[in-house]
Amino acid sequence: MLRENSASNSMVIANIYVTRGLETGWRIRVVSDSLAGLSDAERRSLLLSGLEEWIEAAELLTSAEEGWYGPPPLEIDGPLPIWSEALKQSSSQPLLFASDLDEDIKSPAIVTFYSLRGGVGRTTALAAAAKLLAARGRRVLCVDMDFEAPGLHYMFHLDEPRTEQGVIPLLLALERGESVDIRDHVQRVSEADELYCLPSGRLGVDYAQRLRLIEPENWYREERNPLHALLELASESSIQPEIILLDSRTGISPISAPLLFDISDLAVVCFFPHPQAHLGTELLVQSLLAAKTRRSDAGHAISPEPRFLVSPIPPGPSAARFRERAVSWIDTWLARVGDRRSSDTGPLQADELTHVIGYSPETAFKDFMDTSVIVNETYGPVADWLEQLLPRPVAPSTVRSVDKREALVELNFSRGQAEEQENLLDDFVKTRVAVQASDPQYPLVIGRKGTGKTAVFRWLLDRPGGDAPVVVMCPHTFRKRFPWVLGAEGFAAIDNALTENQAGWSRFWACYTALATFLSLPRQPGTLPPERFGLDLENLETSDRADELFVVETVTKMISDAQAGLLAGRWLRELDASLSSSRFLLFDGLDTGFGNDVTSRNRRTDAVAGLFTFLTESETRLDHLSFKVLLRFDIWQQLRFENKSHLFGRYVQLLWKDQADYFKTVLKQAVRSSAFQNLLSQVGVGPNVDSWRSEEVYQAWNVLVGERMKGAKTTFTRNWVWNRLADGQGDHSPRTLSQLFAAAVEWESRERTSYDQSVVRPRALVPSLERVSDEAVGALHEEFPELKSIVDALETIGRTPLVPGDIESVKPGALEHLELALEVGLIAVHEGTQEEVRRYRVPDLYRHALGMTRRGQA
């Protein structure tokens, strides 16, 4: 600028920079060597006289002084991400979120956890979600941006950061233009998972002094924004997080505004529905929906996507009122969006964007966060929200109508049990646990109802290669192949014989196992029973004479000898010595083989305990025969026998903890369809399911049933199925998964409207789940008749969660079987339960058939 100096009648040259201020005025910088020698007051009087009310900030410098101040402030195009501007923003533009885009957003996704007030579990939710995501194989970086009250690293049980370590030292170094390595400031939470924490810093005098230098508003005037630079450092580092979780300061703080309105793809708004939080949270939501994030530079006007974590809801009768109030508020706030959402992206629904967390002392007073059942159950939906932002395993596929019709005709999913499944050998999924189950060093395989014990039995029985096992016990369906296997009446007769001879069940198992082995194996010289038993088996034709009655009569005669156990043991060893290769002694069907009345179940408990006594005494004396007992978990838990501890570490528990392995059980059935195989080939997936990586499993899954339940705002179909087919113990049954898809294919075949995104549309799963629930409750009635009183009580109560008193008031005496109901997964301890007010919930697997709603005592 040229300005006339009246005293010397000369011209003064100055550089002048003017930008909008952070509030309502202007920020200026004047650089002129004519200011040399003048004090700041003199400079202001000379240049700003009469302009003070319009000037928010001024830098009046010589050219030499400008070198110390750095480059001039930048002009911002659009509103600044500060509270004063964010709260007054409104928008009529189409509302689009990152999760609405067809393409994946560039990593890392940024999520801010924020609360207007403290004490609502914000940091706990962040730490829990981070743990769960990392456990799913995601790379997660958590950043403590709660500068005035840092403590995120405590939630992860980490050491105190060093003096020069943390967000604040890092931001100040970046502001000074220094070259830094973010890895020097990051702490790794666990060697097992890709989970990292960037703490705020180490509390102390240095920390307080540095904190005074943090001015987030000024970052948007800098040539290089330190906050943006920090995110770039993280994404370019070897850590390469897929997602960054920011723990924001509460309230209207300077740091929370840029986190929420500038860099976040998603904001998890934590609040408790108290009137004090109403107006502030409403204004926050309004500001979020009007803001445009840095993602908007990609050609889309992207807004931060809101999620609502309502916490902590107290137990008792007021809980439902608080829940309803929170959802009502959110519905009102979202309704104001109006027609800014297109029909393609769909309206915003409060119930889809809201998760309610009950108060839990176990969580609230934990020193650090773990992934216990309660944490997984409580915060799993939060982790699901975040995972929707992450790269999808495959690109969406399109299924041509003709291919879909062909696949629907060919798809055939088993509705029955493993013993009835025709193609089980082809469909058997060889998981790590399944491979262990076929290892001779593990004599015991346990699992809850429907987890695949009989599938393992059939695999061991009929798998190609190797010698056939010796079937000592088997499910009823196979008794035609093995006629010597006893049923309920046979065991009742044996029980009477044991009582008459004052003998225990271990004597029976010694005699019965030796006899079953003799009947199974080809006749070998020297393998006839000891003469002392007085048995004439030399010319025995199995198909004509070795039926259940023959076995009962033969074993009854054997156990009458006081030394029957020793004699039968010698006979079994002689049979073992006649073998040239290894074989299993297979025992399955123990849960149902004794009958289902009270007397039969008590007999089963005694008999199975005797079986393990016989097993532990005999197994080390056999060279070729190896025991393999398949037993229901609840029966194993109830057993009491000497040396039970000798089997610890020597049994395999059938658990489906890996989603991909679980889904393989239904995808193996699907690939029997040549039309479905053709669809998979179009997305580059071959038919050999056993060789699939997790990515290929999810790719095939998406072709079968689509990726998301309803639009972009709800959960992945795989998570929806995984969560709803879990019983109260968190276990999953391949049988129920197969039943779900059998019902879904039937539903889709009847549907007349067009859908070409997958063979079965996601919403087909919803009515199909109700059918699966009916079958699951029916199976409970069949296998656990003693639970009828509790099942009847739950149907009458009609809501979940509930307290024991609800059951007792409807069905007095039903609580006698409460522990069994917990053990088999009919009910589960409700998250947030306090010991003095024990509450239970019914999982979705059973809830639908029982006609129960979720509007219980929460």
Side-chain angles (χ1 to χ4, degrees), residues 757-826:
Q757 294 302 307
S758 55
V759 176
V760 175
R761 71 193 70 204
R763 66 185 175 94
L765 297 173
V766 178
S768 301
L769 176 64
E770 296 178 4
R771 290 186 58 180
V772 172
S773 184
D774 289 337
E775 295 182 33
V777 170
L780 274 182
H781 279 303
E782 181 180 342
E783 297 192 40
F784 303 99
E786 61 267 53
L787 291 178
K788 184 178 187 306
S789 58
I790 287 186
V791 170
D792 291 345
L794 296 176
E795 283 187 292
T796 302
I797 295 166
R799 54 176 168 74
T800 177
L802 44 84
V803 296
D806 296 329
I807 297 175
E808 186 66 22
S809 64
V810 173
K811 289 285 183 180
L815 292 179
E816 174 187 354
H817 301 295
L818 184 65
E819 288 303 316
L820 177 60
L822 281 165
E823 184 60 49
V824 302
L826 171 61

Side-chain angles (χ1 to χ4, degrees), residues 727-762:
D727 67 13
Q729 293 287 348
D731 286 337
H732 295 80
S733 163
R735 185 189 309 168
T736 56
L737 181 63
S738 184
Q739 290 170 343
L740 179 71
F741 275 89
V745 166
E746 290 180 9
W747 187 96
E748 185 67 40
S749 298
R750 296 191 301 268
E751 183 65 23
R752 296 184 178 182
T753 58
S754 174
Y755 185 84
D756 294 333
Q757 294 302 307
S758 55
V759 176
V760 175
R761 71 193 70 204

Side-chain angles (χ1 to χ4, degrees), residues 365-412:
F365 295 103
K366 277 185 178 291
D367 293 334
F368 57 93
M369 182 56 57
D370 61 24
T371 47
S372 65
V373 173
I374 289 179
V375 169
N376 187 36
E377 198 171 80
T378 307
Y379 295 100
V382 182
D384 291 343
W385 288 343
L386 310 186
E387 196 162 26
Q388 290 184 20
L389 291 170
L390 303 183
R392 303 173 188 179
V394 294
S397 61
T398 299
V399 179
R400 294 188 308 145
S401 296
V402 61
D403 296 330
K404 173 176 176 173
R405 286 194 300 271
E406 291 177 2
L408 281 173
V409 170
E410 294 179 358
L411 287 175
N412 181 24

Side-chain angles (χ1 to χ4, degrees), residues 180-192:
V180 292
D181 190 334
I182 195 172
R183 293 174 299 182
D184 295 334
H185 298 265
V186 167
Q187 296 173 302
R188 185 162 185 166
V189 175
S190 165
E191 291 299 324

Side-chain angles (χ1 to χ4, degrees), residues 124-138:
T124 299
L126 183 151
K131 282 267 191 176
L132 294 172
L133 283 177
R136 297 176 186 179
R138 297 295 190 173

